[in-house]
Amino acid sequence: ATTTTDASGFFSLTLLPGTTSVRIKKTGYADFTSASFVVITGLTTDLGILSLDQDGVVTGTVINASTGVGIGSATLSVTGTSATVWSAADGSFALMAPPGIQTLTATKVGFSSSTTPISVIAGDSLSAGAIALTPGGTITGTVKDSLTQANLSSVNVTITGTGNGVTTNSSGQFSLTQAPGLWTLTFSTTGYVSTATLPVSVTAGSSNALGTTYLAPQATITGTVLDDEARWPVYGALVLVKGSNTGASTDASGFFTVPATAETTTFVINDPPCRNADCLDYESAPLTVAPGETRDVGSITLTRAKIFAGPLYSPSGVSLAGGVVTATSSSRSLSGPLPLFVPPDTYTTVYSLDGWLSRTCSPPPSACDLHLTRSGSLVGTVVDAAGGVPIPGATATAGSVSAVTDI
């Protein structure tokens, strides 16, 4: 629940019973959170007077450490608070900050950031003086197609892990400024495989020419997905490049087109929906594709899954909710809630449901009676006949069910 104080500073909130606290926010004042209190049904809790401390005003100028010239559009923020402003064209700024010992951070793309401890007094003004940011160096280069050697425009060139980036011009060239440090550049654009540079060492005022970076045209894999029984096209199957989020769904004719993200690519087809059934997942053998190549893998037939669907029934024919089936063949054992999808094979199945006796079915499954019998319980105590002392660990068996006595 949220409300706003009136002209007298009064507020009223309707809350559910329980333990809570109230938070007060107002521009120009430090945020306030009350101690926890208990809301009781039908009673009004009066918190009395809640005093807010006024923010202090922090002023200063952000300058270039090399030239002393003011830096515009630098970001000034107070750590752990929402207080943020941007410096004016001449580098000056004025920032409202909560009272107390705070950390003022100044950042600007292409410069090293700076942190300054400040002591803010409520309602007072504090000068942080000149905050000097060290300029970085420039990184330049050209991006080309690895096959045709053509210059590539509109390639995204970013400093990995930062928001700093540019796009190449019509000649494939780029230039960006980055703070001193060891940085990796990433190159990406539609239709090409993304690549990254080795770390580049940038120092203040340095000029770093990377030369030419080559991007390989994206290879493409196409194919058609079919149901192996009816040979129907499989619509809506998800075809993914293994180990990535790159992929596409098959269309109404079962056709797909996916980009190959590496020279050797494996693709998978996940959770494919065959008509009136489910098909098993598929994984291709590794494919070696050349940059820019379109590789058609032809028709891929998916194996329909065998399904143990249930439902289970009471002796009178009432459908029972839930149930677990364990399907065991000579090569595998699979278990799960109904319905259970398994690879084609010959299975012995065991159907079970809490409160009912389990049912074992031998092949073929069509001959299985899924009517269960309600289970009963039998209790007793086993003692020494001579002394009447309870006997722990004795096994009691009735029919095919056994239990062990407790301690």
Side-chain angles (χ1 to χ4, degrees):
T2 301
T3 189
T4 303
T5 55
D6 62 18
S8 65
F10 180 78
F11 69 91
S12 177
L13 288 169
T14 300
L15 303 172
L16 293 173
T19 301
T20 187
S21 59
V22 65
R23 296 174 298 279
I24 311 293
K25 297 177 70 71
K26 173 66 176 177
T27 302
Y29 291 84
D31 293 350
F32 172 89
T33 300
S34 73
S36 297
F37 57 89
V38 178
V39 177
I40 301 173
T41 302
L43 296 181
T44 298
T45 302
D46 187 354
L47 297 182
I49 304 298
L50 305 179
S51 299
L52 304 187
D53 289 326
Q54 290 186 14
D55 283 342
V57 179
V58 181
T59 61
T61 304
V62 183
I63 63 171
N64 185 316
S66 297
T67 64
V69 175
I71 300 174
S73 300
T75 302
L76 288 302
S77 61
V78 176
T79 304
T81 76
S82 59
T84 301
V85 295
W86 291 266
S87 61
D90 63 356
S92 62
F93 67 89
L95 173 68
M96 304 294 290
I101 303 299
Q102 309 289 359
T103 298
L104 177 65
T105 300
T107 59
K108 171 74 175 181
V109 172
F111 291 80
S112 294
S113 61
S114 172
T115 57
T116 306
I118 54 175
S119 180
V120 182
I121 300 173
D124 203 353
S125 180
L126 167 70
S127 174
I131 299 176
L133 302 185
T134 302
T138 58
I139 304 173
T140 59
T142 303
V143 184
K144 293 178 178 286
D145 183 304
S146 65
L147 295 183
T148 66
Q149 309 298 307
N151 296 326
L152 295 179
S153 62
S154 301
V155 175
N156 297 308
V157 184
T158 58
I159 304 294
T160 307
T162 76
N164 190 14
V166 295
T167 58
T168 56
N169 62 20
S170 59
S171 300
Q173 298 172 335
F174 70 90
S175 177
L176 55 77
T177 303
Q178 179 60 19
L182 199 61
W183 304 102
T184 298
L185 278 70
T186 300
F187 300 83
S188 62
T189 192
T190 302
Y192 289 82
V193 179
S194 298
T195 190
T197 66
L198 294 173
V200 178
S201 179
V202 178
T203 58
S206 65
S207 180
N208 302 272
L210 292 187
T212 301
T213 299
Y214 294 96
L215 296 188
Q218 189 87 65
T220 303
I221 299 172
T222 63
T224 302
V225 181
L226 302 174
D227 178 317
D228 75 332
E229 289 188 14
R231 305 295 291 184
W232 280 317
V234 177
Y235 170 69
L238 181 60
V239 184
L240 288 171
V241 174
K242 189 175 182 181
S244 76
N245 293 321
T246 302
S249 294
T250 54
D251 63 17
S253 63
F255 182 77
F256 68 87
T257 299
V258 295
T261 55
E263 291 185 4
T264 301
T265 294
T266 298
F267 65 92
V268 295
I269 303 177
N270 287 338
D271 195 22
C274 292
R275 188 173 299 188
N276 299 320
D278 272 349
C279 281
L280 300 175
D281 289 354
Y282 170 90
E283 181 172 323
S284 75
L287 300 172
T288 300
V289 290
E293 177 187 0
T294 296
R295 174 71 62 85
D296 186 2
V297 297
S299 296
I300 298 170
T301 55
L302 299 183
T303 303
R304 281 200 180 194
K306 190 178 187 69
I307 179 173
F308 296 104
L312 304 178
Y313 298 94
S314 71
S316 62
V318 176
S319 178
L320 303 175
V324 173
V325 60
T326 298
T328 304
S329 71
S330 59
S331 59
R332 59 176 64 87
S333 181
L334 302 168
S335 182
L338 293 168
L340 178 67
F341 298 92
V342 297
D345 207 339
T346 301
Y347 294 93
T348 296
T349 52
V350 178
Y351 294 86
S352 57
L353 181 64
D354 287 345
W356 300 81
L357 296 178
S358 61
R359 171 77 67 182
T360 299
C361 298
S362 298
S366 58
C368 186
D369 179 6
L370 297 183
H371 290 77
L372 303 186
T373 302
R374 174 72 76 176
S375 62
S377 61
L378 182 68
V379 298
T381 302
V382 180
V383 299
D384 184 299
V389 178
I391 301 177
T395 300
T397 302
S400 61
V401 180
S402 64
V404 178
T405 57
D406 60 15
I407 297 175

